């Protein structure tokens, strides 16, 4: 292990952009398919891994959503989240806010309760057993109708004590943030935190970022690096302390460019950018690998790597006392 990898390995980390369904490793996918009698068309790990190939957001989603068919019972969702959290703990992730996509499962006849209780149980057990704490962010699938989003939120409200926030993901083309303005307004009224994906290099990227920031009034942007195209919006996010949950390795898969220079530029301009893993089973890198590859590509210093994690803990939706403990741990590591 080289010095950079060793430093990153020990760095206390906070992950704010990971999709639990995107942590479905081939081995677990096969095991769940066999458990639930689901024919996925593959019989070996190598065959499954061969399907994890794509060169755009749409080609990724064409693989991503059908893979979820193997998730059927509450125990399946528990096992998926537990496997991710074990990997996170091994990479010294101290706190995670993880996305999940209930509409996809509900549309297959899986009750919302089975999804959220399975994931929540895993989060609770990981806090107790692994030393990694976490929370759940329910995502709206933006290429489904707004009515479907509203129905999903209504299904979630009886379990809102298990959910920290509401997000927006999936195919951005023709699905601007304002399509879901009423749903997000309702979520705010119910006390949920708000974030939205503004994916890299999408059609109408800047207008979508503007809508998310000014019309929906999100607290964070997921991805969001196209903000550099509008100096006014860069000032907006910097002055208001709005965080960007960037994902370098997945950027490279869906755009051909890690956007390392843009992430580093925003970091150095005082924007609260962070580095995260997105869908690590598909993109081949968890949070530590993202930090290492970003650092190498952008020639980040150790102090800048620490700042990325400081940003993450500062923009996490944490109680102040817990945030202070994590930041103290980070500063102690940086000083050592």
């Amino acid at each position: 292990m080289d010095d950079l990898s060793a430093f990153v390995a020990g760095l206390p980390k906070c992950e704010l952009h990971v999709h639990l369904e995107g942590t479905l490793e081939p081995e677990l996918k096969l095991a769940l398919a066999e458990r639930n009698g689901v024919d996925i068309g593959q019989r070996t790990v190598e065959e499954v891994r061969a399907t994890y190939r794509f060169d755009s957001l749409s080609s990724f989603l064409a693989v991503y959503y059908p893979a979820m068919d193997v998730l059927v019972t509450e125990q399946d969702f528990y096992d998926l989240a537990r496997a991710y959290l074990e990997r996170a703990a091994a990479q010294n992730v101290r706190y995670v806010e993880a996305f999940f996509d209930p509409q996809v499962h509900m549309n297959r006849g899986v009750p919302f309760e089975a999804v959220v209780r399975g994931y929540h149980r895993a989060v609770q057990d990981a806090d107790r057993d692994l030393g990694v704490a976490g929370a759940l962010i329910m995502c709206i699938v933006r290429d489904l109708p707004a009515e479907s989003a509203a129905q999903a939120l209504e299904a979630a409200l009886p379990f809102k004590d298990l959910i920290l926030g509401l997000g927006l993901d999936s195919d951005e083309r023709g699905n601007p943030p304002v399509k879901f303005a009423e749903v997000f307004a309702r979520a705010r009224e119910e006390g949920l935190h708000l974030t939205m994906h503004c994916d890299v290099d999408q059609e109408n990227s800047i207008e979508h970022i503007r809508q998310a920031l000014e019309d929906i009034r999100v607290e964070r942007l997921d991805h969001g690096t196209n903000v550099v195209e509008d100096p006014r919006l860069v000032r907006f996010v910097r002055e208001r302390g709005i965080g960007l949950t960037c994902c370098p390795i997945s950027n490279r898969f869906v755009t051909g460019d890690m956007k390392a220079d843009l992430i580093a530029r925003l970091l150095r301009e005082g924007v609260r950018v962070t580095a995260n893993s997105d869908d690590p089973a598909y993109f081949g890198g968890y949070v530590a690998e993202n930090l290492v590859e970003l650092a190498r590509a952008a020639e980040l210093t150790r102090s800048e790597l620490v700042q990325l994690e400081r940003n993450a803990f500062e923009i996490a939706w944490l109680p102040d006392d817990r945030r202070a403990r994590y930041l103290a741990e980070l500063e102690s590591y940086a000083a050592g």
Side-chain angles (χ1 to χ4, degrees), residues 13-292:
K13 301 173 190 69
C14 175
E15 171 133 70
L16 301 176
H17 187 150
V18 59
H19 299 265
L20 288 172
E21 291 88 353
T23 68
L24 183 60
E25 293 285 348
E27 294 84 355
L28 182 57
K29 182 180 178 183
L30 280 174
L32 293 178
E34 181 176 354
R35 177 193 291 178
N36 294 315
V38 177
D39 183 1
I40 58 173
Q42 301 106 39
R43 295 291 180 268
T44 68
V45 168
E46 291 72 22
E47 288 176 354
V48 175
R49 201 173 299 282
T51 69
Y52 288 16
R53 300 286 185 271
F54 23 78
D55 57 9
S56 67
L57 179 60
S58 57
S59 64
F60 162 66
L61 294 173
V63 174
Y64 181 65
Y65 286 129
M68 297 184 197
D69 288 349
V70 302
L71 297 162
V72 179
T73 68
E74 179 180 325
Q75 188 62 40
D76 298 338
F77 294 100
Y78 176 93
D79 291 346
L80 175 60
R82 176 71 184 211
Y84 160 71
L85 289 162
E86 288 176 354
R87 285 178 176 265
Q91 294 199 345
N92 205 28
V93 174
R94 306 292 290 114
Y95 178 71
V96 58
E97 291 173 3
F99 297 125
F100 69 107
D101 286 318
Q103 283 162 282
V104 180
H105 310 301
M106 294 165 68
N107 288 347
R108 297 186 289 111
V110 179
F112 182 92
E113 182 173 5
V115 180
V116 75
R117 288 204 184 280
Y119 284 153
H120 180 68
R121 251 192 326 118
V123 168
Q124 286 185 309
D125 288 356
D127 193 6
R128 181 194 66 213
D129 301 338
L130 304 172
V132 53
L136 299 173
I137 301 172
M138 168 183 162
C139 273
I140 296 300
V141 178
R142 69 198 308 159
D143 42 348
L144 294 176
E147 293 78 12
S148 172
Q151 291 165 4
L153 180 59
E154 290 304 314
L157 290 179
F159 306 96
K160 71 177 183 179
D161 59 321
L162 310 184
I163 302 167
L164 186 61
L166 185 71
L168 180 69
D169 63 12
S170 200
D171 197 339
E172 196 162 333
R173 295 172 300 173
N175 298 298
V178 293
K179 172 181 173 181
F180 303 98
E182 292 183 7
V183 175
F184 276 77
R186 177 74 195 282
R188 175 181 282 108
E189 291 172 359
E190 293 289 341
L192 295 175
H193 293 282
L194 304 183
T195 187
M196 284 183 165
H197 277 53
C198 289
D199 282 284
V200 176
D201 293 348
Q202 298 298 298
E203 184 179 290
N204 297 321
S205 281
I206 281 295
E207 173 57 16
H208 288 186
I209 289 172
R210 188 206 65 76
Q211 288 179 16
L213 292 171
E214 297 183 343
D215 298 340
I216 309 299
R217 294 179 288 123
V218 296
E219 299 160 69
R220 295 201 300 245
L221 287 177
D222 303 311
H223 299 296
T225 46
N226 287 87
V227 74
V228 297
E229 298 167 21
D230 188 328
R232 184 184 71 83
L233 292 177
V234 173
R235 288 194 300 273
F236 186 100
V237 297
R238 182 175 58 240
E239 291 170 2
R240 302 195 180 204
I242 292 170
L244 274 61
T245 66
C246 304
C247 305
I249 291 176
S250 77
N251 287 348
R252 185 174 62 207
F253 270 85
V254 300
T255 72
D257 185 348
M258 197 184 299
K259 306 298 183 183
D261 290 343
L262 293 184
I263 296 169
R265 171 182 159 186
L266 289 164
L267 176 68
R268 290 160 185 164
E269 291 180 0
V271 175
R272 285 175 161 176
V273 291
T274 65
N276 309 271
S277 67
D278 204 357
D279 299 283
Y282 293 87
F283 299 131
Y286 286 77
V287 66
E289 289 81 12
N290 273 270
L291 285 163
V292 168

